[in-house]
Coordinates of all heavy atoms in Angstrom, one line a residue:
M15 N 0.8 -1.2 0.0 CA 0.0 0.0 0.0 C 0.9 1.2 0.0 O 2.0 1.2 0.4 CB -1.0 0.0 1.2 CG -0.4 0.5 2.5 SD -1.6 0.7 3.9 CE -2.7 -0.5 3.7
L16 N 0.3 2.3 -0.5 CA 1.0 3.6 -0.6 C 0.6 4.4 0.6 O -0.6 4.6 0.9 CB 0.6 4.3 -1.9 CG 1.2 5.7 -2.2 CD1 2.7 5.6 -2.4 CD2 0.5 6.3 -3.4
V17 N 1.6 4.9 1.3 CA 1.3 5.7 2.5 C 2.2 7.0 2.5 O 3.3 7.0 1.9 CB 1.6 4.9 3.8 CG1 0.7 3.7 3.9 CG2 3.0 4.6 4.0
E18 N 1.7 8.0 3.1 CA 2.5 9.3 3.2 C 2.8 9.5 4.7 O 2.0 9.3 5.6 CB 1.6 10.4 2.6 CG 2.3 11.7 2.6 CD 2.0 12.6 3.8 OE1 1.0 12.3 4.5 OE2 2.8 13.5 4.1
A19 N 4.0 10.0 4.9 CA 4.4 10.4 6.3 C 5.3 11.6 6.2 O 6.3 11.5 5.5 CB 5.1 9.2 7.0
R20 N 4.9 12.7 6.8 CA 5.7 13.9 6.8 C 6.1 14.3 5.4 O 7.2 14.7 5.2 CB 6.9 13.8 7.7 CG 6.5 13.6 9.2 CD 7.7 13.6 10.1 NE 7.3 13.3 11.5 CZ 7.4 14.1 12.5 NH1 7.9 15.3 12.3 NH2 7.0 13.7 13.7
G21 N 5.2 14.2 4.5 CA 5.4 14.7 3.2 C 6.2 13.8 2.2 O 6.5 14.1 1.1
R22 N 6.5 12.6 2.7 CA 7.2 11.6 1.9 C 6.3 10.4 1.7 O 5.5 10.1 2.6 CB 8.5 11.2 2.5 CG 9.5 12.3 2.7 CD 10.8 11.8 3.3 NE 11.5 10.8 2.5 CZ 12.6 11.0 1.9 NH1 13.2 12.2 2.0 NH2 13.2 10.1 1.2
W23 N 6.5 9.7 0.5 CA 5.7 8.6 0.2 C 6.5 7.3 0.3 O 7.6 7.3 0.0 CB 5.1 8.8 -1.2 CG 4.1 9.9 -1.3 CD1 4.4 11.2 -1.6 CD2 2.7 9.9 -1.0 NE1 3.3 12.0 -1.5 CE2 2.2 11.2 -1.2 CE3 1.9 8.8 -0.6 CZ2 0.9 11.5 -0.9 CZ3 0.5 9.1 -0.4 CH2 0.1 10.4 -0.6
Y24 N 5.8 6.3 0.8 CA 6.4 5.0 1.0 C 5.5 3.9 0.6 O 4.3 4.0 0.5 CB 6.7 4.8 2.5 CG 7.5 5.8 3.2 CD1 6.9 6.9 3.8 CD2 8.9 5.8 3.1 CE1 7.7 8.0 4.3 CE2 9.7 6.8 3.6 CZ 9.1 7.9 4.3 OH 9.8 8.9 4.8
A25 N 6.1 2.7 0.2 CA 5.4 1.5 -0.1 C 5.5 0.6 1.2 O 6.6 0.3 1.6 CB 6.0 0.8 -1.3
L26 N 4.3 0.3 1.7 CA 4.3 -0.6 2.9 C 3.8 -2.0 2.4 O 2.9 -2.1 1.6 CB 3.3 -0.1 3.9 CG 3.7 0.9 4.9 CD1 2.6 1.1 6.0 CD2 5.0 0.6 5.6
A27 N 4.4 -3.0 2.9 CA 4.0 -4.4 2.6 C 4.1 -5.3 3.8 O 4.9 -5.0 4.7 CB 4.9 -4.9 1.5
R28 N 3.2 -6.3 3.8 CA 3.3 -7.3 4.9 C 3.7 -8.6 4.3 O 3.1 -9.1 3.3 CB 1.9 -7.5 5.5 CG 2.0 -8.4 6.7 CD 0.7 -8.7 7.4 NE 0.0 -7.4 7.8 CZ -1.2 -7.3 8.1 NH1 -2.0 -8.4 8.1 NH2 -1.8 -6.2 8.4
V29 N 4.8 -9.1 4.8 CA 5.4 -10.3 4.3 C 5.7 -11.3 5.5 O 6.4 -10.9 6.4 CB 6.7 -10.1 3.5 CG1 7.3 -11.4 3.0 CG2 6.4 -9.1 2.3
D30 N 5.1 -12.4 5.4 CA 5.4 -13.4 6.5 C 5.1 -12.8 7.9 O 5.9 -13.1 8.8 CB 6.8 -14.0 6.4 CG 7.1 -14.7 5.1 OD1 6.1 -15.2 4.5 OD2 8.2 -14.7 4.6
G31 N 4.1 -12.0 8.0 CA 3.8 -11.5 9.3 C 4.5 -10.2 9.7 O 4.2 -9.6 10.7
D32 N 5.5 -9.8 8.9 CA 6.3 -8.6 9.1 C 5.8 -7.5 8.2 O 5.4 -7.7 7.1 CB 7.8 -8.8 8.9 CG 8.4 -9.8 9.9 OD1 8.0 -9.8 11.0 OD2 9.4 -10.5 9.4
V33 N 5.9 -6.3 8.7 CA 5.6 -5.1 7.9 C 6.9 -4.5 7.5 O 7.8 -4.3 8.3 CB 4.7 -4.1 8.7 CG1 4.5 -2.8 7.9 CG2 3.4 -4.7 9.1
V34 N 7.0 -4.2 6.2 CA 8.3 -3.6 5.7 C 7.9 -2.3 4.9 O 6.8 -2.2 4.4 CB 9.1 -4.6 4.8 CG1 9.5 -5.8 5.5 CG2 8.2 -5.0 3.6
A35 N 8.9 -1.4 4.9 CA 8.6 -0.1 4.2 C 9.8 0.1 3.2 O 11.0 -0.1 3.6 CB 8.6 1.0 5.2
L36 N 9.4 0.5 2.1 CA 10.4 0.9 1.0 C 10.1 2.3 0.6 O 9.0 2.8 0.6 CB 10.2 0.0 -0.2 CG 10.3 -1.5 -0.1 CD1 10.0 -2.2 -1.4 CD2 11.7 -1.9 0.4
D37 N 11.2 3.0 0.1 CA 10.9 4.2 -0.6 C 9.9 4.0 -1.7 O 10.0 3.0 -2.4 CB 12.3 4.7 -1.1 CG 12.1 6.2 -1.6 OD1 11.7 6.3 -2.8 OD2 12.5 7.1 -0.9
N38 N 9.0 4.9 -1.9 CA 8.0 4.7 -2.9 C 8.5 4.8 -4.3 O 7.9 4.3 -5.3 CB 6.9 5.7 -2.7 CG 5.7 5.5 -3.7 OD1 5.2 4.4 -3.8 ND2 5.4 6.5 -4.4
N39 N 9.7 5.5 -4.5 CA 10.2 5.8 -5.9 C 11.0 4.6 -6.4 O 12.0 4.3 -5.9 CB 11.0 7.0 -5.9 CG 10.2 8.3 -5.6 OD1 9.1 8.4 -6.1 ND2 10.8 9.2 -4.8
C40 N 10.5 4.0 -7.4 CA 11.2 2.9 -8.1 C 12.6 3.4 -8.6 O 12.6 4.5 -9.3 CB 10.4 2.3 -9.2 SG 11.2 1.0 -10.1
P41 N 13.7 2.8 -8.3 CA 15.0 3.3 -8.8 C 15.1 3.3 -10.3 O 16.0 4.0 -10.8 CB 16.0 2.3 -8.1 CG 15.3 1.8 -6.9 CD 13.8 1.7 -7.4
H42 N 14.3 2.6 -11.0 CA 14.4 2.6 -12.4 C 14.1 3.9 -13.0 O 14.9 4.6 -13.5 CB 13.5 1.5 -13.0 CG 13.5 1.4 -14.5 ND1 12.4 1.3 -15.3 CD2 14.5 1.6 -15.4 CE1 12.7 1.3 -16.6 NE2 14.0 1.5 -16.7
M43 N 12.8 4.4 -12.9 CA 12.4 5.7 -13.4 C 11.4 6.4 -12.5 O 10.6 7.2 -13.0 CB 11.8 5.5 -14.9 CG 12.9 5.1 -15.9 SD 12.2 4.9 -17.6 CE 12.0 6.6 -18.0
G44 N 11.4 6.0 -11.3 CA 10.6 6.7 -10.3 C 9.1 6.3 -10.2 O 8.3 7.0 -9.7
G45 N 8.8 5.1 -10.7 CA 7.4 4.6 -10.6 C 7.0 4.5 -9.2 O 7.8 4.3 -8.3
P46 N 5.7 4.5 -8.9 CA 5.2 4.4 -7.5 C 5.1 3.0 -7.0 O 4.1 2.3 -7.3 CB 3.8 5.1 -7.7 CG 3.4 4.7 -9.1 CD 4.6 4.7 -9.9
L47 N 6.1 2.6 -6.3 CA 6.1 1.2 -5.8 C 4.9 0.9 -4.9 O 4.4 -0.3 -4.9 CB 7.4 0.9 -5.1 CG 8.6 0.8 -6.1 CD1 9.9 0.6 -5.2 CD2 8.5 -0.2 -7.1
G48 N 4.4 1.9 -4.2 CA 3.2 1.7 -3.4 C 2.0 1.3 -4.1 O 1.0 0.9 -3.5
R49 N 2.0 1.5 -5.4 CA 0.9 1.1 -6.3 C 1.2 -0.2 -7.0 O 0.4 -0.5 -8.0 CB 0.5 2.2 -7.2 CG 0.1 3.5 -6.5 CD -1.0 4.2 -7.3 NE -1.3 5.5 -6.7 CZ -2.2 5.6 -5.7 NH1 -2.8 4.6 -5.1 NH2 -2.4 6.8 -5.2
G50 N 2.3 -0.8 -6.7 CA 2.7 -2.1 -7.3 C 1.9 -3.3 -6.9 O 1.0 -3.1 -6.0
T51 N 2.2 -4.4 -7.4 CA 1.6 -5.7 -7.1 C 2.5 -6.5 -6.3 O 3.6 -6.8 -6.7 CB 1.2 -6.4 -8.3 OG1 0.3 -5.5 -9.1 CG2 0.4 -7.7 -8.0
L52 N 2.0 -7.0 -5.1 CA 2.8 -7.9 -4.2 C 2.5 -9.3 -4.5 O 1.3 -9.7 -4.4 CB 2.6 -7.5 -2.8 CG 3.5 -8.1 -1.8 CD1 5.0 -7.7 -2.0 CD2 3.1 -7.8 -0.3
N53 N 3.5 -10.1 -4.7 CA 3.3 -11.6 -4.9 C 4.3 -12.2 -4.0 O 5.5 -12.3 -4.3 CB 3.4 -12.0 -6.3 CG 3.1 -13.5 -6.5 OD1 2.7 -14.1 -5.6 ND2 3.5 -14.0 -7.7
G54 N 3.9 -12.7 -2.8 CA 4.9 -13.2 -1.8 C 5.7 -12.1 -1.4 O 5.2 -11.1 -0.9
S55 N 7.0 -12.1 -1.5 CA 7.9 -11.0 -1.2 C 8.3 -10.2 -2.4 O 9.1 -9.3 -2.2 CB 9.1 -11.6 -0.4 OG 9.9 -12.4 -1.3
E56 N 7.8 -10.5 -3.5 CA 8.1 -9.7 -4.7 C 7.1 -8.7 -5.1 O 5.9 -8.9 -5.2 CB 8.3 -10.7 -5.9 CG 9.5 -11.5 -5.9 CD 9.8 -12.3 -7.1 OE1 9.0 -12.1 -8.1 OE2 10.7 -13.1 -7.2
L57 N 7.6 -7.4 -5.1 CA 6.8 -6.3 -5.5 C 7.1 -5.9 -6.9 O 8.2 -5.6 -7.2 CB 7.1 -5.1 -4.5 CG 6.4 -3.8 -4.8 CD1 4.9 -4.0 -4.6 CD2 6.9 -2.7 -3.8
T58 N 6.1 -5.9 -7.7 CA 6.2 -5.5 -9.1 C 5.8 -4.0 -9.3 O 4.7 -3.6 -9.0 CB 5.4 -6.4 -10.0 OG1 5.8 -7.8 -9.8 CG2 5.6 -6.1 -11.5
C59 N 6.8 -3.3 -9.9 CA 6.5 -1.9 -10.2 C 5.4 -1.7 -11.3 O 5.5 -2.4 -12.3 CB 7.8 -1.2 -10.6 SG 7.6 0.6 -11.0
P60 N 4.4 -0.8 -11.0 CA 3.3 -0.7 -12.0 C 3.7 -0.1 -13.3 O 3.0 -0.2 -14.3 CB 2.3 0.1 -11.3 CG 3.1 1.0 -10.3 CD 4.3 0.1 -9.9
W61 N 4.9 0.5 -13.4 CA 5.2 1.2 -14.7 C 5.9 0.3 -15.7 O 5.5 0.3 -16.8 CB 6.2 2.4 -14.4 CG 5.4 3.6 -13.9 CD1 4.1 3.7 -13.4 CD2 5.9 4.9 -13.7 NE1 3.8 4.9 -13.0 CE2 4.9 5.7 -13.2 CE3 7.2 5.5 -13.9 CZ2 5.1 7.1 -12.9 CZ3 7.4 6.9 -13.6 CH2 6.3 7.6 -13.1
H62 N 6.9 -0.4 -15.4 CA 7.6 -1.2 -16.3 C 7.9 -2.7 -15.9 O 8.6 -3.4 -16.5 CB 9.0 -0.6 -16.7 CG 8.9 0.8 -17.1 ND1 9.3 1.8 -16.2 CD2 8.4 1.4 -18.2 CE1 9.1 3.0 -16.8 NE2 8.6 2.8 -18.0
G63 N 7.3 -3.0 -14.7 CA 7.3 -4.4 -14.3 C 8.6 -4.9 -13.6 O 8.7 -6.1 -13.4
W64 N 9.5 -4.0 -13.3 CA 10.7 -4.5 -12.5 C 10.2 -5.0 -11.2 O 9.3 -4.4 -10.6 CB 11.7 -3.3 -12.3 CG 12.4 -2.9 -13.5 CD1 12.1 -3.0 -14.8 CD2 13.7 -2.3 -13.5 NE1 13.0 -2.5 -15.7 CE2 14.1 -2.1 -14.9 CE3 14.6 -2.0 -12.6 CZ2 15.3 -1.5 -15.3 CZ3 15.9 -1.4 -12.9 CH2 16.2 -1.2 -14.3
R65 N 10.8 -6.1 -10.7 CA 10.4 -6.7 -9.5 C 11.5 -6.5 -8.4 O 12.7 -6.5 -8.7 CB 10.2 -8.2 -9.7 CG 9.0 -8.5 -10.6 CD 8.8 -9.9 -11.0 NE 9.9 -10.4 -11.8 CZ 10.8 -11.3 -11.4 NH1 10.7 -11.9 -10.2 NH2 11.7 -11.7 -12.2
W66 N 11.0 -6.3 -7.2 CA 11.8 -6.0 -6.1 C 11.5 -6.9 -4.9 O 10.3 -7.1 -4.7 CB 11.6 -4.5 -5.6 CG 11.8 -3.6 -6.8 CD1 10.9 -3.1 -7.6 CD2 13.1 -3.0 -7.2 NE1 11.5 -2.3 -8.6 CE2 12.8 -2.2 -8.3 CE3 14.4 -3.1 -6.7 CZ2 13.8 -1.5 -9.0 CZ3 15.4 -2.4 -7.4 CH2 15.1 -1.6 -8.5
D67 N 12.5 -7.4 -4.2 CA 12.3 -8.2 -3.0 C 12.1 -7.3 -1.8 O 13.1 -6.6 -1.4 CB 13.5 -9.1 -2.8 CG 13.2 -10.1 -1.7 OD1 12.4 -9.8 -0.7 OD2 13.7 -11.3 -1.8
V68 N 10.9 -7.2 -1.3 CA 10.6 -6.2 -0.2 C 11.4 -6.6 1.1 O 11.5 -5.7 1.9 CB 9.1 -6.1 0.1 CG1 8.4 -5.5 -1.2 CG2 8.5 -7.4 0.5
R69 N 11.8 -7.8 1.2 CA 12.6 -8.2 2.4 C 14.0 -7.6 2.4 O 14.6 -7.3 3.5 CB 12.7 -9.7 2.5 CG 11.3 -10.4 2.7 CD 11.5 -11.9 2.6 NE 12.1 -12.2 1.3 CZ 12.2 -13.4 0.8 NH1 11.9 -14.4 1.5 NH2 12.8 -13.6 -0.4
T70 N 14.5 -7.4 1.2 CA 15.9 -6.9 1.1 C 16.0 -5.6 0.4 O 17.0 -4.9 0.5 CB 16.8 -7.9 0.4 OG1 16.3 -8.0 -1.0 CG2 16.8 -9.3 1.1
G71 N 15.0 -5.2 -0.4 CA 15.1 -4.0 -1.3 C 15.8 -4.3 -2.6 O 15.9 -3.4 -3.4
R72 N 16.3 -5.5 -2.8 CA 17.1 -5.8 -4.0 C 16.2 -6.1 -5.2 O 15.1 -6.6 -5.0 CB 18.0 -7.1 -3.8 CG 19.0 -6.8 -2.7 CD 19.9 -8.0 -2.6 NE 20.7 -8.1 -3.8 CZ 22.0 -8.4 -3.8 NH1 22.6 -8.7 -2.7 NH2 22.7 -8.3 -4.9
N73 N 16.7 -5.7 -6.3 CA 16.0 -6.1 -7.6 C 16.1 -7.6 -7.8 O 17.1 -8.2 -7.4 CB 16.7 -5.3 -8.7 CG 16.0 -5.6 -10.0 OD1 16.3 -6.5 -10.7 ND2 15.0 -4.7 -10.3
C74 N 15.0 -8.2 -8.3 CA 14.9 -9.6 -8.4 C 15.6 -10.2 -9.7 O 15.7 -11.4 -9.8 CB 13.5 -10.1 -8.4 SG 12.6 -9.7 -6.9
W75 N 16.1 -9.3 -10.6 CA 16.8 -9.8 -11.8 C 18.1 -10.4 -11.3 O 18.9 -9.7 -10.6 CB 17.0 -8.6 -12.7 CG 17.5 -9.1 -14.1 CD1 18.7 -9.1 -14.5 CD2 16.7 -9.6 -15.1 NE1 18.8 -9.6 -15.8 CE2 17.5 -9.9 -16.2 CE3 15.3 -9.9 -15.3 CZ2 17.1 -10.5 -17.4 CZ3 14.9 -10.4 -16.5 CH2 15.7 -10.7 -17.5
P76 N 18.4 -11.6 -11.8 CA 19.7 -12.2 -11.4 C 20.9 -11.4 -11.7 O 21.0 -10.9 -12.8 CB 19.7 -13.5 -12.2 CG 18.3 -13.8 -12.4 CD 17.6 -12.5 -12.6
G77 N 21.7 -11.2 -10.7 CA 23.0 -10.4 -10.9 C 22.8 -8.9 -10.8 O 23.8 -8.2 -10.9
S78 N 21.6 -8.4 -10.6 CA 21.3 -7.0 -10.5 C 21.9 -6.4 -9.2 O 21.7 -7.0 -8.2 CB 19.9 -6.7 -10.6 OG 19.6 -5.3 -10.4
D79 N 22.5 -5.2 -9.3 CA 22.9 -4.5 -8.1 C 21.9 -3.4 -7.7 O 22.2 -2.7 -6.7 CB 24.3 -3.9 -8.3 CG 25.4 -4.9 -8.4 OD1 25.2 -6.0 -7.9 OD2 26.4 -4.6 -9.1
W80 N 20.8 -3.3 -8.4 CA 19.9 -2.2 -8.1 C 19.2 -2.5 -6.8 O 18.8 -3.7 -6.5 CB 18.8 -2.1 -9.2 CG 19.3 -1.6 -10.5 CD1 20.3 -2.2 -11.3 CD2 19.0 -0.4 -11.1 NE1 20.5 -1.4 -12.4 CE2 19.7 -0.3 -12.3 CE3 18.1 0.6 -10.8 CZ2 19.5 0.8 -13.2 CZ3 17.9 1.7 -11.7 CH2 18.7 1.8 -12.9
R81 N 19.0 -1.5 -6.0 CA 18.3 -1.6 -4.7 C 17.3 -0.4 -4.5 O 17.6 0.7 -5.0 CB 19.2 -1.6 -3.5 CG 20.0 -2.9 -3.3 CD 20.9 -2.7 -2.1 NE 21.7 -3.9 -1.9 CZ 21.3 -4.8 -1.0 NH1 20.3 -4.7 -0.3 NH2 22.1 -5.9 -0.9
V82 N 16.3 -0.7 -3.8 CA 15.4 0.4 -3.4 C 15.6 0.5 -1.9 O 15.7 -0.5 -1.2 CB 13.9 0.1 -3.8 CG1 13.4 -1.2 -3.1 CG2 13.0 1.3 -3.4
P83 N 15.7 1.7 -1.4 CA 16.0 1.9 0.1 C 14.8 1.3 0.9 O 13.7 1.5 0.6 CB 16.1 3.4 0.3 CG 16.4 4.0 -1.1 CD 15.8 3.0 -2.1
R84 N 15.2 0.6 1.9 CA 14.3 0.1 2.9 C 14.4 0.9 4.2 O 15.4 1.4 4.5 CB 14.6 -1.4 3.3 CG 14.2 -2.4 2.3 CD 14.3 -3.8 2.9 NE 13.2 -4.0 3.8 CZ 13.3 -4.7 4.9 NH1 14.5 -5.3 5.2 NH2 12.3 -4.8 5.8
L85 N 13.3 1.0 4.9 CA 13.3 1.8 6.2 C 12.9 0.9 7.3 O 12.1 0.0 7.1 CB 12.3 2.9 6.1 CG 12.7 4.0 5.2 CD1 12.0 3.8 3.8 CD2 12.2 5.4 5.7
P86 N 13.5 1.1 8.5 CA 13.0 0.3 9.6 C 11.6 0.7 10.0 O 11.2 1.9 9.9 CB 14.0 0.7 10.8 CG 14.5 2.0 10.3 CD 14.5 2.1 8.8
V87 N 10.8 -0.3 10.4 CA 9.4 0.0 10.8 C 9.3 -0.5 12.2 O 9.8 -1.5 12.7 CB 8.5 -0.9 9.9 CG1 7.1 -0.9 10.4 CG2 8.6 -0.4 8.5
R88 N 8.5 0.4 13.0 CA 8.2 0.0 14.3 C 6.6 0.0 14.5 O 5.9 0.9 14.0 CB 8.7 1.0 15.3 CG 8.6 0.6 16.8 CD 9.4 1.5 17.7 NE 8.8 2.9 17.7 CZ 9.4 3.9 18.4 NH1 10.4 3.7 19.1 NH2 8.8 5.1 18.3
I89 N 6.1 -1.1 15.0 CA 4.7 -1.3 15.2 C 4.4 -1.0 16.7 O 5.0 -1.6 17.6 CB 4.3 -2.7 14.9 CG1 4.7 -3.2 13.5 CG2 2.7 -2.9 15.1 CD1 4.1 -2.4 12.4
V90 N 3.5 0.0 16.9 CA 3.1 0.4 18.3 C 1.6 0.4 18.3 O 1.0 1.3 17.7 CB 3.7 1.8 18.6 CG1 3.2 2.2 20.0 CG2 5.2 1.8 18.5
G91 N 1.0 -0.6 18.9 CA -0.4 -0.8 18.9 C -0.9 -1.0 17.5 O -0.4 -1.9 16.8
D92 N -1.8 -0.1 17.1 CA -2.3 -0.2 15.7 C -1.5 0.7 14.7 O -1.9 0.8 13.5 CB -3.8 0.3 15.6 CG -4.7 -0.7 16.4 OD1 -4.3 -1.9 16.5 OD2 -5.8 -0.3 16.8
E93 N -0.5 1.3 15.2 CA 0.3 2.3 14.3 C 1.5 1.6 13.7 O 2.2 0.8 14.4 CB 0.8 3.5 15.1 CG -0.3 4.4 15.5 CD 0.3 5.7 16.1 OE1 1.5 5.8 16.3 OE2 -0.5 6.6 16.5
V94 N 1.8 2.0 12.5 CA 3.0 1.6 11.8 C 3.9 2.9 11.9 O 3.5 3.9 11.3 CB 2.8 1.2 10.4 CG1 4.2 0.9 9.7 CG2 1.9 -0.1 10.4
Q95 N 5.0 2.9 12.5 CA 5.8 4.1 12.7 C 7.1 4.0 11.8 O 7.7 2.9 11.8 CB 6.2 4.3 14.1 CG 5.0 4.6 15.0 CD 5.4 4.9 16.5 OE1 6.5 4.6 16.9 NE2 4.4 5.4 17.2
L96 N 7.4 5.1 11.1 CA 8.6 5.1 10.3 C 9.5 6.2 10.9 O 9.0 7.1 11.5 CB 8.2 5.5 8.9 CG 7.2 4.6 8.1 CD1 6.8 5.2 6.8 CD2 7.9 3.2 7.9
P97 N 10.8 6.1 10.6 CA 11.7 7.1 11.2 C 11.6 8.4 10.4 O 11.1 8.5 9.3 CB 13.1 6.5 10.9 CG 12.9 5.6 9.8 CD 11.5 5.1 9.9
V98 N 11.9 9.5 11.1 CA 11.9 10.8 10.4 C 13.2 10.9 9.6 O 14.3 10.7 10.1 CB 11.8 11.9 11.5 CG1 12.0 13.3 10.9 CG2 10.6 11.8 12.3
L99 N 13.0 11.2 8.4 CA 14.2 11.4 7.5 C 14.5 12.8 7.2 O 13.6 13.7 7.2 CB 14.0 10.6 6.2 CG 13.8 9.1 6.4 CD1 13.5 8.5 5.0 CD2 15.0 8.5 7.0
Ligands
LIG110 S1 9.8 2.9 -13.0 FE1 9.6 1.0 -12.0 S2 10.1 -0.5 -13.5 FE2 10.4 1.4 -14.5

């Protein structure tokens, strides 16, 4: 899901019971990862279909060094808290 916090946009995903947060901007050309499709731990960018492993932020293409920044997430009650950047 796409979420906004303090004027920045993030992609949130739940994988294996964990909540993870990625920068919303796809490193390829800035597509909105928060509007992508999640299949297991693979998030597919809606613009050109590049796939990202939300557990690591790494691109799923074999041998790729591309990464999308991940952020630490803290769950407090019903809130998902992200660090201030
Ligand atoms: S902008 Fe995400 S795959 Fe191109």
